[in-house]
Amino acid sequence: SLYIENELSVRTARAWQRYARALAWFSGKETVDSESLKAIFPYATWHKLKPSEKAATEFPKSTNDRIGFAKKLLEEIDKQWTTIQAEPRLEIYAAGVEILDAGKINKETSRLVAAAIEKICAWDHPFALTLAKDLESKYNQKVMSK
């Protein structure tokens, strides 16, 4: 990201999901929704996010108000996500996930998922790597569960 110098660890991401699940449960929801994830994000990640120089310039309080910085970061992510909703590569990602959820791994499904990952990687956008890695991870989990 342009705004942080580091990535969130897997442990931090898992904790964020667990806390969001707990919040959803306390709120009487059966599943975790984006509202719960967004509410928990600043509090689960503030101590792990190291603002970049760009963040310090655009959000001068980011070094002292890390929770506020996490909220601003989430707003920026939401803004970017909203602008790419019509992107065809999101449909490719969704199709890859659907293929993996639908059945067993064979040569054809492996080829289709590899092609989807390749098309997503060719996209020059910050979300591309995340989507490609997620699809690859889902594929590897499916292969390992055989």
Side-chain angles (χ1 to χ4, degrees):
S1 168
L2 300 171
Y3 295 109
I4 58 173
E5 290 186 5
N6 58 325
E7 293 182 8
L8 293 177
S9 69
V10 172
R11 266 183 20 198
T12 302
R14 287 181 183 152
W16 171 33
Q17 291 170 341
R18 280 194 310 272
Y19 297 148
R21 192 177 320 124
L23 178 62
W25 182 80
F26 280 122
S27 301
K29 299 173 186 172
E30 291 186 26
T31 60
V32 177
D33 58 359
S34 63
E35 184 181 304
S36 298
L37 286 165
K38 289 177 185 178
I40 291 297
F41 179 81
Y43 305 101
T45 61
W46 71 270
H47 62 293
K48 296 289 187 177
L49 299 173
K50 184 177 180 188
S52 66
E53 287 184 36
K54 180 178 174 81
T57 304
E58 289 186 31
F59 314 117
K61 296 180 182 178
S62 65
T63 53
N64 294 327
D65 179 12
R66 299 291 281 277
I67 291 176
F69 171 64
K71 288 178 181 178
K72 289 280 188 195
L73 185 60
L74 190 58
E75 287 173 15
E76 186 63 30
I77 291 167
D78 263 351
K79 200 182 320 176
Q80 287 181 18
W81 183 248
T82 301
T83 61
I84 64 160
Q85 286 298 308
E87 171 60 43
R89 286 176 187 91
L90 290 179
E91 293 174 15
I92 293 169
Y93 168 78
V97 170
E98 192 174 310
I99 288 168
L100 292 172
D101 288 345
K104 296 180 179 179
I105 298 296
N106 56 37
K107 286 183 182 180
E108 182 64 17
T109 57
S110 293
R111 189 185 64 73
L112 290 171
V113 171
I117 291 170
E118 201 172 302
K119 286 180 183 179
I120 293 167
C121 286
W123 182 25
D124 185 24
H125 194 280
F127 286 132
L129 182 59
T130 302
L131 293 173
K133 279 186 167 186
D134 186 61
L135 194 54
E136 179 185 39
S137 175
K138 288 178 187 324
Y139 173 80
N140 290 337
Q141 287 175 348
K142 190 79 168 187
V143 168
M144 298 302 278
S145 67
K146 273 177 130 178

